[in-house]
Amino acid sequence: MRRFGAGLLLTCSVVLLSISIYFLMGMFAQEKADDLLQEQLREIYENEDGAQEPGGDLIPSGQTAPFVVDAGLLALHEENPDCIGWLTIEGTMIDYPVMYRPEEENYYLHRDFDGNYNANGCLFLAENCNPETSDNQIIYGHHMNSGKMFAALEGYKSREFYEEHPLITYNTLHGEETYEVLAAFSTPVYTGNDFAYYAFTKAESEAEYNSFLAAVKERSFYDTKITAAYGEKLLTLSTCEYSQKNGRMVVVAKKIDKGKDRIYYEDL
């Protein structure tokens, strides 16, 4: 009887080990496939030369384009019309296309550029945003243990990291945009009384805009001394944060013109 029990235990252990190895091999294979896909997308994005006027799907008939679009981004958009931008934070692993599919909530949460299942998912613009008219563009991405996607946002808990990475480049179908980080904070969601940063996309008034900005600055890990004025476009990056239940790590930035001076609190 003891031999039977030992044999059964050994058999179960072998089966469990085999299952674990099978899943680990599957995860490894998926990671390799994802790395290859990201490399291919980056090659398309970086190797297309120059810029060009956007096509008719982006500009109304008979009108002249007031901007030019990066040829690499346009090539990706032609491969998948859901691709509307490319987000980069220099010096980090954040260097990915941004997807947008407003008719299906969280469509790219666990899908790759081609729409196939992928645990890493894609960076994607929130469905309640409008790329053309929203005052605040909200982009979501996973916080992967591998350091991929939006894992690097965790670094903004440190002032030193912020000072080394103050700018975000968001290349869009309406031209390249540069954003400057003005606040970084973590907050819980699904509490029934949480800070609904994810709901603010369009300010109905200057007071509403300023209220959101004040709430963001109040929660920031440190004072960046950077603020924004009503009418300036905001960019919010959001990912999971694991120091609290249902935590989110959030970075808020404002659009700037590279040739203009920064706006500090002391200047207002």
Side-chain angles (χ1 to χ4, degrees), residues 194-223:
D194 49 273
F195 172 42
Y197 68 90
Y198 45 80
F200 178 77
T201 61
K202 186 72 176 175
E204 297 299 327
S205 65
E206 182 174 358
E208 184 178 350
Y209 184 96
N210 291 338
S211 177
F212 173 77
L213 194 64
V216 163
K217 298 294 290 184
E218 178 185 355
R219 289 167 171 80
S220 187
F221 291 115
Y222 40 81
D223 186 0

Side-chain angles (χ1 to χ4, degrees), residues 71-109:
L73 177 58
L74 206 54
L76 291 175
H77 179 70
E78 289 171 354
E79 282 203 20
N80 183 345
D82 289 349
C83 181
I84 62 163
W86 191 283
L87 188 80
T88 305
I89 300 181
E90 190 173 349
T92 76
M93 291 182 69
I94 298 175
D95 188 29
Y96 298 106
V98 176
M99 315 302 285
Y100 179 58
R101 196 180 183 93
E103 65 273 17
E104 295 187 56
E105 186 176 6
N106 295 332
Y107 182 83
Y108 284 100
L109 188 65

Side-chain angles (χ1 to χ4, degrees), residues 101-223:
R101 196 180 183 93
E103 65 273 17
E104 295 187 56
E105 186 176 6
N106 295 332
Y107 182 83
Y108 284 100
L109 188 65
H110 293 298
R111 286 185 173 91
D112 64 17
F113 182 91
D114 297 321
N116 300 316
Y117 175 80
N118 188 293
N120 291 346
C122 288
L123 304 188
F124 63 94
L125 183 68
E127 295 82 12
N128 58 333
C129 289
N130 183 312
E132 296 182 20
T133 63
S134 289
D135 295 319
N136 183 31
Q137 304 284 336
I138 306 169
I139 297 177
Y140 294 109
H142 282 299
H143 183 167
M144 305 302 295
N145 291 331
S146 62
K148 296 177 182 178
M149 307 315 289
F150 267 172
L153 294 184
E154 187 83 3
Y156 282 102
K157 289 182 176 181
S158 160
R159 176 184 288 276
E160 182 179 0
F161 183 91
Y162 153 71
E163 291 174 348
E164 293 173 352
H165 308 87
L167 300 180
I168 301 168
T169 301
Y170 186 29
N171 199 352
T172 78
L173 294 171
H174 300 281
E176 185 176 282
E177 301 173 352
T178 300
Y179 290 80
E180 184 172 29
V181 174
L182 59 83
F185 61 93
S186 64
T187 186
V189 295
Y190 311 131
T191 65
N193 191 34
D194 49 273
F195 172 42
Y197 68 90
Y198 45 80
F200 178 77
T201 61
K202 186 72 176 175
E204 297 299 327
S205 65
E206 182 174 358
E208 184 178 350
Y209 184 96
N210 291 338
S211 177
F212 173 77
L213 194 64
V216 163
K217 298 294 290 184
E218 178 185 355
R219 289 167 171 80
S220 187
F221 291 115
Y222 40 81
D223 186 0

